[in-house]
Amino acid sequence: MTALRRRTLLAVLLAGGTMTACTEQDDSATDGTGGASDGGGEAADPGAVVAESSFFLRHTEVAVRLHPIVRSGEHLVLTVDLTAEGDAAEFEDQYVVGGTLTGEATSAWSDGWGSASGGDTRDFLGVRLVDLAGDQVASTAVDAEGETVGVRADNGETADSGTQALAGTVQIAFADPGTDALAVYLPKLPLVIDVPVIEADVPAVEGAEEQLDLSAIEEAPLEPMLLMSQDLAEPLRETRELGATTVAISSDVLFDSSSADLDRKAKSALDEAAQRIESHEPGPVTVIGHTDSVDSDASNLTLSKERAAAVATALEKRLDTSDYELSTDGKGEAEPIASNDTEGGKALNRRVEIVLETPLREEEVTREMPEFEGRAGTAAEGVRFDGSEQWVLRPFDLQLGAARMLEDHLVVTLEVTPRDEDRSGVTGIGQFDDGIGMPTEPDGVSTYTLLASSGAVGVLVGSVLTYPAFHRAGGPSETTRPLTDLSLNTAADGGVPRILELVFPRDIAGVEAGAEVALQYGTTGPLAFANESTWRMTEVPIGA
């Protein structure tokens, strides 16, 4: 078990936590670890191997080889080869049976709760092309039925006993962001960067019943990254997308029930909101009131407008209105962000939003990190769970592989290793994220999505917790997904490590090469909830 763990972590560290695609066509260009090479020139051959790595299906190591991304008309095509070798009886015990290697990869690289998290069950939803410089994410293209436009084929050698060699190829269509190189997000592997995009014919997939049909594409999602953060010291949440920033304040700390008169306890939240506004360049500011569904539509609309006006009046005393011109609006109960069927959902819907469309100034972190009551450890120590915590079904270790900056984005590699000997093929490792790590969820994201991903694990700087980048993934359900593994609940064998890769939005205050930050799942303070599986990892060094 130890040897497996050491090998995987070593490969990540050798690559600085990422894999850099080599561009030599000669096989000697790769170093066998998935790390960066000294290759030069441009790979014009769609059959060339530009990056290599591996991951585990149960306790079978699967080698992964990436080819250049091929541009064909308005779309891109990614081709990935998979191979594994082992004892036939072992494969049988692990359900990794000859001829189904790509089928197992489909499960590992899709949405683990797709049937419950918005109904998006398309294959390979977790595989994405990432334009880090342009802050865009391309999800799998879909056909008229909402299924991924792609092909997969297995062509390994099957055997009843002895050594068995499995092999297969996965080919997926995406939108074209228009760049010459992209990062490739493959769940359970470090991010692969600088994969070249070439003009060439789409390579045929050996053994496929039908080849890739790009004319079947109905939609090819290409969407911007969405930033979501919350202040653990104040009841403020922030989202940022396409140049617009929204700061949301809970109405429960601003007003008494059904009132538009500001409460005395509102002062701290309003002071912080004014500081958030001043962290942006001068420009117009819109204050929008929202309510829950209690009372009539008409009275809720009136209350929301009155509350927006009250907040705007208070902000006028804290801001230079010649720099920040304030306007107000009210939406009543028309734009909920949570269900009004629960008290918690109603509380989230009662809010006042402050919308800014100007860029951030250089921001300094002034608040201290709040105290924390969950599991904690430094990056050097890791965080350990013994399996007795609520929602935690097995003991496991959580360790840092790497944290580094790529195109001003923080990219974090975590390694999770179950410490038990369970190899039943039933239990996954998603237990540290029980789906309630965020106080609110962006449109298109369900609790089930967070249950099956590490999307609720944030980077903590001072008192502000910022989550991994979210993006819309299109499809019939118009789903939104975090730029993380979406299938933590697939079976994990005891003693076998699993890589969790988290890609964060750019422009997070205090996040830069050379800085130290914390990683945290679960919250404390005004937005706290009861959850024994919360954890914090401190003293996380960020590399270049």
Side-chain angles (χ1 to χ4, degrees):
M1 304 303 176
T2 304
L4 289 176
R5 183 181 181 283
R6 183 178 296 120
R7 178 178 180 183
T8 302
L9 183 56
L10 178 61
V12 175
L13 295 177
L14 284 172
T18 58
M19 295 184 291
T20 303
C22 67
T23 52
E24 289 282 5
Q25 296 184 42
D26 192 293
D27 288 343
S28 63
T30 59
D31 61 9
T33 67
S37 74
D38 295 326
E42 182 173 341
D45 177 8
V49 175
V50 296
E52 299 184 52
S53 189
S54 65
F55 72 105
F56 286 96
L57 289 173
R58 302 284 303 279
H59 53 275
T60 293
E61 187 171 15
V62 179
V64 179
R65 295 180 177 86
L66 274 75
H67 299 284
I69 300 168
V70 171
R71 178 174 283 121
S72 180
E74 299 179 352
H75 300 103
L76 300 181
V77 177
L78 173 69
T79 303
V80 181
D81 292 334
L82 307 173
T83 57
E85 187 173 299
D87 182 81
E90 277 284 302
F91 284 159
E92 185 73 34
D93 289 342
Q94 299 172 69
Y95 306 106
V96 185
V97 184
T100 64
L101 185 58
T102 62
E104 292 297 317
T106 301
S107 175
W109 290 353
S110 297
D111 187 333
W113 282 85
S115 60
S117 58
D120 201 327
T121 58
R122 73 181 108 155
D123 290 345
F124 303 111
L125 181 58
V127 179
R128 284 151 288 185
L129 302 184
V130 185
D131 177 10
L132 291 169
D135 301 326
Q136 300 181 98
V137 180
S139 300
T140 60
V142 296
D143 60 20
E145 303 299 321
E147 300 296 334
T148 292
V149 176
V151 296
R152 61 181 178 89
D154 292 274
N155 46 48
E157 301 174 4
T158 60
D160 294 329
S161 61
T163 300
Q164 184 170 350
L166 306 181
T169 299
V170 173
Q171 195 172 74
I172 309 169
F174 295 89
D176 184 359
T179 63
D180 294 331
L182 291 165
V184 177
Y185 189 100
L186 294 171
K188 300 168 182 65
L189 282 80
L191 187 69
V192 188
I193 61 173
D194 296 332
V195 178
V197 178
I198 65 172
E199 302 280 353
D201 293 332
V202 176
V205 175
E206 181 183 354
E209 294 182 3
E210 297 180 353
Q211 296 300 318
L212 188 67
D213 180 10
L214 295 178
S215 68
I217 295 176
E218 187 76 14
E219 177 190 10
L222 178 63
E223 297 289 344
M225 295 184 189
L226 168 67
L227 178 146
M228 290 192 64
S229 66
Q230 66 178 90
D231 192 325
L232 303 186
E234 296 288 349
L236 275 70
R237 300 183 300 273
E238 183 174 312
T239 61
R240 194 186 311 151
E241 181 181 16
L242 290 177
T245 299
T246 301
V247 178
I249 313 174
S250 169
S251 291
D252 292 357
V253 301
L254 297 174
F255 308 98
D256 287 333
S257 178
S258 301
S259 171
D261 295 326
L262 287 167
D263 193 282
R264 283 181 297 177
K265 64 178 181 288
K267 181 181 182 303
S268 177
L270 291 168
D271 289 345
E272 177 64 22
Q275 291 181 28
R276 295 289 184 93
I277 294 171
E278 290 177 328
S279 70
H280 288 252
E281 297 290 343
V285 179
T286 305
V287 182
I288 307 172
H290 300 268
T291 69
D292 58 25
S293 61
V294 177
D295 219 330
S296 68
D297 291 354
S299 61
N300 283 334
L301 182 61
T302 298
L303 180 62
S304 68
K305 291 181 177 181
E306 291 176 347
R307 285 180 166 179
V311 170
T313 299
L315 290 174
E316 286 177 350
K317 301 174 183 178
R318 293 167 166 81
L319 298 169
D320 183 346
T321 54
S322 64
D323 285 339
Y324 301 99
E325 182 181 354
L326 295 163
S327 62
T328 65
D329 195 4
K331 301 296 183 181
E333 61 186 78
E335 297 182 1
I337 58 172
S339 171
N340 276 307
D341 295 333
T342 66
E343 292 304 314
K346 291 176 184 176
L348 290 172
N349 291 330
R350 296 189 296 268
R351 68 199 189 278
V352 175
E353 294 181 340
I354 301 168
V355 181
L356 307 102
E357 297 184 2
T358 52
L360 282 167
R361 303 178 190 265
E362 288 293 326
E363 191 175 355
E364 294 184 1
V365 179
T366 57
R367 288 189 179 274
E368 294 184 358
M369 187 182 301
E371 295 182 0
F372 187 72
E373 297 179 357
R375 299 277 173 168
T378 66
E381 298 166 342
V383 181
R384 170 164 287 203
F385 288 82
D386 59 22
S388 65
E389 303 85 356
Q390 183 182 12
W391 306 109
V392 176
L393 303 182
R394 66 196 301 187
F396 63 85
D397 289 335
L398 178 67
Q399 294 185 313
L400 178 71
R404 64 279 186 206
M405 299 301 296
L406 297 173
E407 297 285 355
D408 296 325
H409 292 267
L410 174 65
V411 180
V412 173
T413 303
L414 295 174
E415 186 177 83
V416 181
T417 306
R419 297 200 317 274
D420 57 21
E421 298 181 0
D422 181 2
R423 293 195 166 188
S424 64
V426 175
T427 309
I429 62 171
Q431 294 82 2
F432 76 86
D433 189 341
D434 56 24
I436 55 173
M438 300 177 73
T440 184
E441 300 156 2
D443 292 341
V445 177
S446 75
T447 294
Y448 291 103
T449 294
L450 300 177
L451 173 65
S453 77
S454 45
V457 177
V459 56
L460 181 63
V461 181
S463 62
V464 177
L465 186 66
T466 303
Y467 298 103
F470 280 77
H471 64 92
R472 293 179 177 85
S477 303
E478 291 295 329
T479 53
T480 299
R481 292 294 180 264
L483 198 42
T484 66
D485 190 337
L486 302 179
S487 189
L488 296 187
N489 55 341
T490 53
D493 282 353
V496 180
R498 179 170 291 179
I499 294 295
L500 308 181
E501 195 82 340
L502 292 76
V503 181
F504 288 85
R506 70 168 66 242
D507 295 332
I508 302 174
V511 173
E512 58 187 11
E516 277 194 355
V517 297
L519 300 172
Q520 180 169 312
Y521 165 70
T523 62
T524 57
L527 296 173
F529 55 89
N531 181 6
E532 292 184 10
S533 57
T534 56
W535 56 265
R536 176 186 285 178
M537 182 182 291
T538 58
E539 301 177 24
V540 175
I542 301 178

